[in-house]
Amino acid sequence: MKCIFLLADGMGDWPVESLGGKTPLEAAHTPHMDAMAASGVVGLCRSIPQGMPPGSDVANMSLLGFDPARYHTGRGPIEAAAMGLVTWPDDLIFRLNLVTVSEFSDAGVMRDYSAGHIDTDIAHRIVAGLSRTCAGIDMSVYPGVQYRHILVLKAGAETRGVKSFEASMAVRPPHDITDKPIAEDLALFRKSPILWEFMTKAATVLAVTNHGSRANAVWPWGQGGTLSLPPFEEKYGLRGAVVSAVDLVKGLGRAAGMEVVDVPGATGLLDTNYAGKVAAALDFLTRGDFVFLHVEAPDECGHGGQAADKVEAVTRFDRLVVGPLREALAGTDTIFLTACDHFTPIAVKTHTTDPVPFVLWREGLSPQPAPAFTEALAAGTGLVVEQGFDLLDFALDRAGRRA
Ligand SMILES: [Zn+2]
């Protein structure tokens, strides 16, 4: 038995007026998911634990089977894991953005969370310079891709057994405060002498050096202690891999001891290399048992409020991922689980905590079907998996893993 978990990020949605009152999933042409719904098990799953934010990090951790309330420490640690950074249990790990602010002061406004989608080579030179800046401060910076980097406060998670101020401070993610004043966040940073020294030095260096980008400040956020997950293979008895363009999914996979497959041309956008992802999944299944294949594009279209593009993203997911995998694996004993991690409704352009639709299929399983795969029809079956981190176990059991 093999198992493949197909995840369309942010696919769930609410009815959209410009789509004639349909959701993008209803409006999209999805014959493969519909066929699996007609002879499979369809329901809803609460991917976001009560009281937690509906981030992709929380949702994907949950759907891989790990309770975010227990294992989620922050976004920074997941991305650090994706980079293969080895950190100590008492380190505090921030995601560090290079950003553009109107001015680095209480009168300042966040102009761009990405410093104009800064070029990676330029960013690496800047981060190398920042490393010299923070020499003598008990921290390290590690370069990532574009504006996305990592800052580690050594032994910064606790002070004498008590959670440190830096570990508990609630700085807003820079992408949530575009064109908004930054004074309230600076007030928090100022309370941390170590972060404030680093940030003011960085702003000064960025102001006086000719680095050829719009970056003029650094923004640490999403912090937490080192991510530690139980091995996926021990938990499920399946040798697994993740296939994704997105760092946080790669980080979750790496932390759970799964193989992380890099696919050239996997962009996280509508034009991503679907065929490459399918080929990578099939290749892994010749030596492994389980693949988590993640497609980011529907979420991006949701954030952009682009209804027609989101319909196209869902249509392509069905035609270029679900279809080819069904065809390639026809006649083999494979469990298919398809879901999204959270809704990203066009109407609000951000994530919501709505329970997500899923469809489970295996040849010969006892069905709990729906006429098609949509949010409303999934709700209509009455099947609800209350905890996202139970979904995979539920699916494997219901599909007769132990039969
Ligand atoms: Zn997501």
Side-chain angles (χ1 to χ4, degrees), residues 170-366:
V171 173
R172 295 176 296 174
H175 53 261
D176 281 354
I177 52 170
T178 302
D179 292 330
K180 293 196 175 137
I182 57 174
E184 68 177 85
D185 303 286
L186 294 194
L188 284 174
F189 288 130
R190 223 178 252 118
K191 286 185 192 165
S192 163
I194 186 169
L195 286 178
W196 189 245
E197 180 184 353
F198 171 61
M199 292 178 76
T200 49
K201 277 187 178 174
T204 306
V205 168
L206 287 167
V208 299
T209 46
N210 180 14
H211 45 78
S213 84
R214 292 173 51 208
N216 62 3
V218 294
W219 197 269
W221 62 281
Q223 78 277 23
T226 296
L227 172 66
S228 172
L229 295 177
F232 184 87
E233 187 168 352
E234 254 167 49
K235 185 170 166 61
Y236 293 106
L238 301 172
R239 206 139 62 85
V242 296
V243 177
S244 173
V246 174
D247 281 345
L248 68 90
V249 174
K250 293 180 182 178
L252 291 168
R254 205 179 286 276
M258 301 168 80
E259 189 166 313
V260 178
V261 184
D262 278 313
V263 177
T267 57
L269 303 173
L270 200 50
D271 67 353
T272 193
N273 182 1
Y274 298 94
K277 287 189 171 181
V278 167
L282 291 171
D283 175 62
F284 180 78
L285 288 179
T286 62
R287 59 186 190 279
D289 314 300
F290 171 87
V291 173
F292 185 80
L293 193 163
H294 171 271
V295 173
E296 175 73 0
D299 181 61
E300 292 292 331
C301 301
H303 284 294
Q306 300 142 325
D309 281 354
K310 189 164 178 184
V311 172
E312 179 63 20
V314 175
T315 299
R316 287 189 195 183
F317 175 69
D318 191 78
R319 188 176 74 231
L320 302 176
V321 175
V322 186
L325 283 168
R326 282 184 84 214
E327 194 171 309
L329 295 166
T332 69
D333 183 17
T334 305
I335 297 170
F336 283 85
L337 178 60
T338 304
C340 56
D341 54 346
H342 51 74
F343 282 39
T344 309
I346 295 287
V348 292
K349 299 187 191 176
T350 189
H351 304 176
T352 66
T353 56
D354 299 77
V356 299
F358 70 86
V359 52
L360 166 69
W361 188 89
R362 184 186 195 181
E363 186 77 55
L365 102 171
S366 159

Side-chain angles (χ1 to χ4, degrees), residues 54-185:
S56 290
D57 46 355
V58 170
N60 282 283
M61 176 183 284
S62 174
L63 293 181
L64 277 168
F66 305 108
D67 180 2
R70 180 165 172 201
Y71 295 108
H72 186 270
T73 59
R75 181 152 177 161
I78 300 175
E79 297 194 4
M83 286 163 56
L85 273 187
V86 177
T87 50
W88 292 91
D90 60 347
D91 285 344
L92 186 65
I93 304 148
F94 289 80
R95 165 70 179 276
L96 184 74
N97 278 43
L98 291 171
V99 300
T100 309
V101 293
S102 61
E103 56 184 283
F104 188 73
S105 79
D106 286 344
V109 167
M110 177 62 67
R111 288 289 182 226
D112 188 343
Y113 67 90
S114 71
H117 281 272
I118 186 169
D119 174 80
T120 297
D121 289 337
I122 293 176
H124 279 207
R125 284 198 290 279
I126 291 175
V127 170
L130 293 176
S131 286
R132 291 191 289 276
T133 304
C134 61
I137 310 178
D138 229 359
M139 60 168 63
S140 302
V141 286
Y142 298 92
V145 176
Q146 288 190 350
Y147 56 92
R148 306 189 293 269
H149 309 283
I150 296 290
L151 168 71
V152 177
L153 289 190
K154 289 168 197 152
E158 303 182 343
T159 317
R160 287 180 286 278
V162 179
K163 203 171 179 187
S164 67
F165 171 75
E166 287 83 4
S168 54
M169 65 194 288
V171 173
R172 295 176 296 174
H175 53 261
D176 281 354
I177 52 170
T178 302
D179 292 330
K180 293 196 175 137
I182 57 174
E184 68 177 85
D185 303 286

